[in-house]
Amino acid sequence: QDADRCENEVSESMMPVPSTASAAGSRAVDKEKLLPKAFTKFKDDGQVHHDDLPKALAFMGYSQPDPHLIEMAFSSVSAGFSTLGQDEFVSFAKCFEDHMNMAVAEA
């Protein structure tokens, strides 16, 4: 159910945000291109460990990613394990982006 919640939130976040939509969209595309590189850089035995997620996000350009948002996104996509495979990592990164955008919009 958590994954469904994240997917619903992701679809809502795809709606343009006034005045920053084009800049945010451009950054999202750049970060999306870094996903495979981040996964490759931080994987161990084909998985990225939970403890490496802040470093992976920083590698992708997120400056000091919020630990609370990391936990929210991780719990939305993990299957109860402490590591993420590549598909889960991609889902995690997209979910983190969504949670971050919602936090900024609510601020």
Side-chain angles (χ1 to χ4, degrees):
Q1 289 180 348
D2 286 336
D4 291 338
R5 183 184 67 199
C6 185
E7 288 175 18
N8 291 338
E9 292 168 355
V10 169
S11 63
E12 291 171 9
S13 75
M14 296 173 102
M15 297 169 49
V17 176
S19 76
T20 60
S22 62
S26 175
R27 284 192 307 270
V29 169
D30 292 342
K31 289 176 180 167
E32 193 167 323
K33 289 179 182 177
L34 288 173
L35 279 169
K37 292 178 182 179
F39 181 81
T40 299
K41 181 173 178 66
F42 293 97
K43 73 178 178 180
D44 183 25
D45 289 331
Q47 305 275 313
V48 174
H49 193 274
H50 174 273
D51 294 344
D52 292 325
L53 294 175
K55 291 183 273 187
L57 290 168
F59 174 81
M60 292 169 51
Y62 295 100
S63 177
Q64 299 177 335
D66 185 323
H68 178 68
L69 298 180
I70 292 171
E71 290 307 315
M72 288 174 55
F74 183 79
S75 66
S76 294
V77 301
S78 76
F81 300 106
S82 61
T83 59
L84 300 175
Q86 187 165 8
D87 290 342
E88 294 166 317
F89 179 75
V90 169
S91 295
F92 160 79
K94 290 178 180 181
C95 194
F96 174 82
E97 174 82 18
D98 177 57
H99 286 301
M100 191 183 71
N101 288 338
M102 286 193 308
V104 168
E106 292 172 3

